Structures are given as C-alpha cells and as structure tokens.
Amino acid sequence: MRSLNKLSKKRLSFFTDPYPDELLYSAFARYHFYSGNIDCKDTLTELFGKNSAVLSFEMGSHIAFLCNALGGSYTPDYLIQNHTLFPFYAPFLPESRKREIIKDIMSSDGRGIYTKIGIVAGSICKKDCIFFCPACVRKEMESLGEAYVHREHQLQGIFMCPHHGKFLKEYHANKWEKSRVEYIRLDGSLLDLSDILLYQGKHTDKLLEIAKAAYYLLSHSLGIISKSDVLLRYKNLLYKNDLATDKLRIKQDELHDRVVGYYGTELLSILESSIDKNNEYNWLRAATRNVARTVHPLRHILLILFLTGDISEFFQGVHESHSPFGKGPWPCLNKAADHFKQDVVTDLAITADFKTRAPVGTFECQCGYIYSRKGPDKDRKDLYRKGRVKAFGFVWENKLKTLLSQQCHSYRKMAQQLGADIKTIQKFEKLFAESSPVVEKQKSNINLKAEYREKLLLIMKEYPELSRTSIRSRCQKEYTYLHRHDRKWLFEELPKKKQSKGSNGYIDWDERDHEILMQLQKAHIDLLVGEKMIRISKSSLGKAIDKLSMIEKKLNKLPRCAYFINQVSETKHEFQLRRCKSIVQEMEAEGLPLIEWRIQRKAGLRKEDYNLIKDKLQPYFDET
C-alpha cells in the first residue's frame, strides 16, 4: 500500500468542481458517480489519501490533502467559506475555537468538530434527511442536466429556499442510515418537484425572512467577527432600544416579553426556540451574557432580526462603539447662528455627573456656542435638548449687540429670539457698556486680525519647514489671538499635523482616544469571559491592553476611555458578587446543592464581606 506522503504528491486526473453554494459533500458524491468507482473506499483514498476517512456532511474533512491533490486549484479557506456550513456558525464562536475548527476541517476527519461548534449540544430542528428546493432543482436540471445539494437548504431551522420562497422537501434517503463511507447523490428521477406547503398563513413571511438571513451568513465573509463582537453589538442595540441600562446591563424580563411578542409563541415553538422566562439559562439570556456557552445561529438570527430587521445592517455596524449621545455630528443650538439646529458640532466631551454618575455631554460649536446636557439620549428629540449653556460665543454676542443698537426690541423679545432668559440679556448689556464702544472695538479687531494674519503668513513663507508647534512658539501672541478669534482661518492655513508620535511629535489625542477605547472594550469582554476571574478596574484593563502607564498618566486626555472605565469598573463588593454568582452557576451545572458556607468558602470571602452580598444571592439557595 502506498504511503500517505506518496499519495499526497499524486494529482487527481479530474474533479467535479463544486457548483455555486454546493455542499462539498455533494461534489464528492458526484465525483464518486462520475469516476466509475464501485467501492466507496477507492473514492475516499483518491480524495483524502486513506480509505478510513469519516465523511462530514456539513463541514467536510481532510480538505488540505484534497487541495494538494488538486494541484492548488482550490485553497482550504475557499472551500470552507463557500462550500461548507462553517460560515453559518463562525460569527457566533470565540476566536480561538474558530481557529481550532478550521484546523480540524483541514486536517482531520471532523469527529470533534460537531462538539466544538455546538451542533450536538445545541442542535435544534435537526435534519436527518437531505433537503432540496423544487424550483432550484427544475432550474438546475434544465441548465446543468443534474441537481445538486445546496448548503443553504441543509441548515437547521431553515424551512424555505431563500432564492425562490418555496418550502424545502426531503430527499428519500436518510443520510444517517447510510454507511459512514457512502455518499448520497441527488437522483433526478426520485425528486418530488410538486409545490406543497408545509405551513399555511401567518408564519410564511417570517420563515422566509429567517432563511434569507441564514443565507446572508453563508454568502458573506464574516471571519473577522467573533462572539465578543456580536455580544457588544447586542448590548449597544439593546441600549438604544431602552432594553439595557447605562452600564449596558440587559433588562432581561423586558427583552423576553418583547421578543416573544414579536415572534409569537407558536412560531418560536416551531423553531424549537421557546423561551422560558423563569429559566436563568434560557437561550436569550445566554446570547446576551458573557458566558462560555454558545447559542445556535438560528437563535442569533431571531435576536438580530428583532433588533434591526436587517441582518446586513447588524453586521455592518458591529464595530461601532457605544456612545450615550449617539454618533455625531450633533446640532448647534445657537439661535443667533444661521446654522441653528444643523448637525455641525463635532467637538464632544463626555464626563460623569458628580452625584448620579450619569453621562454629561459638553458640545462645542465653531461659532463659540458651548452647551451641555445629561445623557443618555433616548430618541431624536433629545438631540435638541440642552441643560446648561457654558458659553454663548462671538456669533451670539454680535447678534445681541446688533439688537441692542437698534433700540426697538424689548428684553423679552430679544431673550426669545436668542434662546436665553431676560437676566442673561441684561447681564451682557451691562458688560458691553463697560467695555470699549462697540464700533471702535470691531474696527480694532478687524485691523488686528489682518495684521496678525499677515505676520503669521510671512513666517510660514520664510520658514516652510516649521511645524505647528514651532510656529506657535515663534508667534505666541499672534497665534493665541487668532486661535481665539479666527480659529477656522488659522487651522486652514497652518501646516498639516505631523503624524509622528515621538517626544517632539504631534499626537492626535482624539484619534488615540478612539483607538484605545476599542481596545478597552475588547479587553473588558475578554476579562469577563476569561478562565481566571479578574476584577474589572482601571489597572486590570490597562494591563490587559499593555497601556497601564498611559491610562494612569494621560486619562485626562482620553475622555471616552475615562468614561468607559468609570462605567465598567467594579467595586470590591460588585466583584465579590460576580464571583459568587459564577460559583453558583458552576454548582448548579454540576448538580451540587447550593449551601451558603460552601459558596463562601469557594469564593474565599471573609464572613463580614459575604454578609454584605448574601441577600443578593438568596434567590439561588435551596429552600432547605
């Protein structure tokens, strides 16, 4: 018998190239048929290098050997992505497990793949037979002369063809009753091509919507997305729908009621995805929590369609960061400006309220108008709400000066026109009266602005190599004045910002704030799902991304990061409570009785610390 090394160098004389969306198993079945091999073990030897290879219907196996035998016509990644069911599961798996599964598909017989992917433990609407769409078959028989097995028709929980809206039918052969080394090929003479509805009426639209969403997972490359990305996207969307708190903690009871109301108990039962509200470990809770357990893709689809109605919209925004004030730009609320209520504000600083710790956003417009309000925003109307005006700006002040000079408006009318109260109008009138005459000051400002502009342009012309920092040090007075009174012109004329990050280079702290925030969000999820339980704090988050020194010394320049760290950090007792809940879940999973002293001992807590949190654990304890 030839060795595996010698077999791996042998090239196949021909191969049945997979059709679009054809399951790799189907292409192998056609190869066996056209090769003329009588014994299936001969086909296994030719395709996989050994006659003992075990067939994997959904995922394929020994693909690396096959690609080598085909002389590089296909790559393992291409076959896995386009001709197996793996892409259906991939976005909802941890990154490390995805790599293990791909390695198994490439080099092994796939025996452990099903357990790792969750097909065995989390199977729903299990399909024992091969399924097909009558409309697809008729089209293929006319154009190709044969039918083939579509992978989208074999997905668990999918009852309809996403292309034709037809209900799927069972092929006569049960794939599990055949020999483990025997292939099943669709025989056109045995296919029932009549149109018979499996379900009538109200569920058809939803079932077709689910089928199209499942096909989206198969047909789009979502390999860079993992379980942690999906979880964060869930929390952001739930927050926008008022189903999560400011700290992104899910309102599970409300979520349950709305999901069940959206689909109805009958459809959820058909899809074997009923949700027991009293079960702490139901699939809806598992999908929205930081737990190691995987949830079947069909159930993820149900949650995604509930949240967005469009699976493509969900994945296109999967890396958007959470913001209590939404995505900018935001409207300017300066009633004196010609851009009033237009989305022109790009400068937002987020801090926490001293007493309530609620997020506070400070919005600064180029016109000088600065206002703040408490968050989070719940709907579009909140965009036009302001809590306090911190600065009215030169545009507003100039408008007020004009109204005062006309001497034909009451204080009340000016206050209404400018969006301020009467006392504010009177205060500014007094300030204007104490300063230089308005007209002379305006002329002086115009002349001074022109003089400083000219000097700054002259310096930049004589020394074109100067950076912004060097120009500022040479022209401190001119730079400061123009920065306050002519900022737009100044930034347009200054050299472009340098991107170097050395000790003398420019650092874009806003961009760095965004970058580190993304790292912190990922590190937060990794810490929560990691094997070793670690308290969430500024220190642990900083160490996790290897930027502890920067976070400790420069956090004042990273407002988004500061807000995020403040929101997710745990007190000592919050961490102790999380640790105890985790121990309770482990004991329940192992079938152990929940006894207080055992929980306290496993958590390593002193009695006084345990007494502070035990009331919150009381619902878990045995009545005995």
Side-chain angles (χ1 to χ4, degrees):
M1 182 176 178
R2 289 172 294 178
S3 68
L4 180 60
N5 289 334
K6 291 181 178 179
L7 284 169
S8 65
K9 297 178 181 178
K10 182 180 177 181
R11 300 289 183 259
L12 291 175
S13 58
F14 85 99
F15 184 64
T16 45
D17 293 325
Y19 293 122
D21 286 312
E22 182 178 15
L23 197 63
L24 201 52
Y25 171 97
S26 176
F28 297 158
R30 289 191 298 109
Y31 174 84
H32 175 71
F33 177 77
Y34 288 118
S35 68
N37 291 334
I38 297 175
D39 192 339
C40 289
K41 290 189 175 181
D42 292 336
T43 298
L44 293 176
T45 301
E46 293 171 3
L47 293 176
F48 308 126
K50 56 182 179 180
N51 60 17
S52 61
V54 178
L55 305 180
S56 174
F57 180 77
E58 290 90 354
M59 300 298 163
S61 56
H62 300 288
I63 291 180
F65 183 95
L66 173 67
C67 291
N68 189 41
L70 293 173
S73 301
Y74 295 100
T75 64
D77 287 340
Y78 174 84
L79 292 178
I80 292 171
Q81 177 63 37
N82 295 280
H83 297 287
T84 75
L85 301 192
F86 177 71
F88 182 61
Y89 297 88
F92 312 110
L93 296 172
E95 191 62 40
S96 59
R97 198 180 307 175
K98 282 198 292 185
R99 290 194 295 267
E100 291 178 18
I101 294 170
I102 290 174
K103 183 179 179 181
D104 289 343
I105 295 173
M106 290 174 60
S107 59
S108 73
D109 57 17
R111 291 180 182 177
I113 293 175
Y114 297 100
T115 302
K116 291 178 181 177
I117 212 167
I119 293 179
V120 176
S123 291
I124 57 176
C125 302
K126 188 176 180 181
K127 292 184 175 180
D128 292 325
C129 296
I130 294 175
F131 280 74
F132 67 93
C133 165
C136 288
V137 169
R138 283 194 291 267
K139 182 178 178 181
E140 290 154 13
M141 295 295 288
E142 292 175 2
S143 60
L144 304 174
E146 62 181 343
Y148 61 90
V149 180
H150 284 249
R151 54 183 183 151
E152 63 267 32
H153 299 158
Q154 316 314 313
L155 297 173
Q156 295 175 350
I158 303 304
F159 297 99
M160 301 185 73
C161 173
H163 314 296
H164 300 101
K166 303 291 185 181
F167 280 97
L168 303 175
K169 291 189 173 184
E170 295 181 4
Y171 189 55
H172 69 89
N174 187 315
K175 61 190 179 186
W176 305 117
E177 293 176 354
K178 295 289 182 179
S179 165
R180 297 204 309 172
V181 297
E182 183 179 351
Y183 286 109
I184 302 173
R185 175 178 169 271
L186 294 185
D187 186 341
S189 63
L190 301 177
L191 294 169
D192 177 12
L193 303 184
S194 61
D195 292 329
I196 300 176
L197 294 178
L198 300 180
Y199 301 99
Q200 297 286 344
K202 57 184 178 180
H203 300 314
T204 304
D205 291 342
K206 279 284 193 296
L207 291 173
L208 180 57
E209 187 179 7
I210 291 168
K212 290 181 177 180
Y215 183 70
Y216 177 91
L217 295 176
L218 286 179
S219 57
H220 287 74
S221 181
L222 304 174
I224 61 172
I225 297 171
S226 63
K227 180 183 175 182
S228 59
D229 300 316
V230 171
L231 176 61
L232 184 59
R233 177 69 164 149
Y234 281 154
K235 291 189 174 184
N236 289 339
L237 288 172
L238 289 168
Y239 174 81
K240 290 180 180 179
N241 287 277
D242 198 26
L243 289 170
T245 65
D246 295 343
K247 294 186 177 181
L248 298 183
R249 293 181 178 175
I250 313 303
K251 302 175 183 178
Q252 293 289 352
D253 289 345
E254 294 181 38
L255 176 60
H256 167 274
D257 294 342
R258 287 176 61 177
V259 170
V260 173
Y262 182 79
Y263 288 106
T265 55
E266 184 180 14
L267 179 57
L268 291 174
S269 178
I270 291 171
L271 298 175
E272 298 180 19
S273 297
S274 300
I275 312 168
D276 183 357
K277 189 174 184 178
N278 298 319
N279 184 354
E280 187 68 19
Y281 304 102
N282 66 52
W283 70 260
L284 189 58
R285 291 177 183 266
T288 54
R289 284 180 172 173
N290 303 318
V291 294
R293 183 184 309 176
T294 57
V295 175
H296 196 282
L298 173 64
R299 292 169 174 173
H300 280 289
I301 289 174
L302 293 175
L303 181 55
I304 289 170
L305 293 180
F306 162 74
L307 290 172
T308 64
D310 184 350
I311 196 166
S312 62
E313 178 186 335
F314 178 89
F315 282 103
Q316 286 168 7
V318 76
H319 292 299
E320 289 182 1
S321 60
H322 165 69
S323 171
F325 300 98
K327 187 177 180 181
W330 298 269
C332 176
L333 302 184
N334 182 3
K335 295 186 73 171
D338 55 7
H339 54 259
F340 175 57
K341 284 192 174 182
Q342 294 182 20
D343 294 338
V344 296
V345 178
T346 58
D347 192 348
L348 167 65
I350 301 177
T351 55
D353 182 79
F354 178 76
K355 293 182 178 179
T356 65
R357 309 310 296 169
V360 177
T362 300
F363 304 81
E364 181 175 357
C365 183
Q366 289 283 346
C367 68
Y369 196 81
I370 305 174
Y371 67 94
S372 65
R373 69 167 181 272
K374 284 186 180 181
D377 289 351
K378 297 297 184 181
D379 53 42
R380 181 72 184 175
K381 293 179 182 179
D382 287 337
L383 290 173
Y384 306 102
R385 173 176 55 84
K386 59 184 176 183
R388 185 166 71 93
V389 178
K390 293 187 174 182
F392 288 93
F394 62 93
V395 172
W396 188 92
E397 292 180 13
N398 288 339
K399 181 66 175 179
L400 175 58
K401 291 174 183 177
T402 301
L403 294 175
L404 289 170
S405 66
Q406 293 173 352
Q407 298 183 352
C408 59
H409 305 287
S410 66
Y411 287 130
R412 184 179 298 278
K413 187 174 181 180
M414 287 188 289
Q416 291 174 348
Q417 189 171 345
L418 296 176
D421 57 38
I422 294 176
K423 289 185 178 180
T424 298
I425 301 298
Q426 292 172 337
K427 182 186 75 172
F428 274 92
E429 182 183 33
K430 184 178 179 181
L431 290 174
F432 296 155
E434 293 173 352
S435 61
S436 303
V438 175
V439 177
E440 292 300 322
K441 187 174 182 179
Q442 287 178 340
K443 289 182 180 179
S444 174
N445 286 341
I446 292 173
N447 293 334
L448 201 58
K449 186 185 296 183
E451 178 186 341
Y452 287 172
R453 279 184 176 185
E454 183 177 356
K455 183 173 181 180
L456 204 67
L457 290 173
L458 182 62
I459 291 292
M460 288 191 291
K461 184 177 181 180
E462 290 181 358
Y463 305 97
E465 75 282 359
L466 291 180
S467 65
R468 288 188 172 197
T469 305
S470 300
I471 293 172
R472 181 175 182 176
S473 63
R474 283 174 173 264
C475 311
Q476 291 185 4
K477 180 176 65 175
E478 293 80 5
Y479 187 101
T480 302
Y481 180 89
L482 292 172
H483 187 271
R484 290 177 179 173
H485 303 286
D486 200 8
R487 188 180 303 181
K488 184 178 179 180
W489 177 91
L490 177 64
F491 288 160
E492 287 176 350
E493 296 298 328
L494 285 172
K496 290 184 178 181
K497 297 178 181 179
K498 292 186 177 181
Q499 298 302 315
S500 61
K501 297 184 179 180
S503 60
N504 296 322
Y506 175 82
I507 297 176
D508 188 342
W509 285 103
D510 185 69
E511 180 181 351
R512 180 168 290 187
D513 193 14
H514 278 290
E515 292 175 354
I516 297 179
L517 175 62
M518 297 295 291
Q519 297 174 21
L520 288 172
Q521 289 173 334
K522 185 177 185 305
H524 176 228
I525 292 177
D526 291 340
L527 288 174
L528 290 176
V529 302
E531 293 183 0
K532 183 178 180 182
M533 187 166 289
I534 298 174
R535 177 179 170 185
I536 306 301
S537 64
K538 179 170 69 175
S539 177
S540 63
L541 289 168
K543 289 178 181 178
I545 64 173
D546 200 24
K547 289 186 172 61
L548 178 59
S549 177
M550 177 179 293
I551 287 176
E552 288 182 337
K553 297 177 181 179
K554 301 292 184 180
L555 197 58
N556 62 316
K557 296 186 177 182
L558 305 168
R560 296 174 182 85
C561 294
Y563 175 74
F564 177 80
I565 291 173
N566 179 69
Q567 292 298 303
V568 303
S569 292
E570 296 175 310
T571 64
K572 181 181 75 171
H573 295 305
E574 285 176 338
F575 172 65
Q576 291 172 342
L577 179 61
R578 178 161 67 90
R579 186 164 59 191
C580 287
K581 286 184 176 180
S582 176
I583 292 170
V584 168
Q585 292 173 358
E586 291 176 1
M587 294 174 70
E588 285 184 337
E590 295 173 5
L592 298 175
L594 301 181
I595 302 174
E596 284 191 78
W597 67 265
R598 286 184 178 174
I599 297 172
Q600 179 184 342
R601 187 176 66 179
K602 289 192 73 172
L605 299 182
R606 294 180 299 178
K607 186 174 182 180
E608 52 268 30
D609 288 329
Y610 181 79
N611 288 337
L612 293 173
I613 63 174
K614 71 176 184 178
D615 289 344
K616 296 180 180 179
L617 294 171
Q618 197 61 41
Y620 295 93
F621 298 147
D622 293 338
E623 294 181 359
T624 57

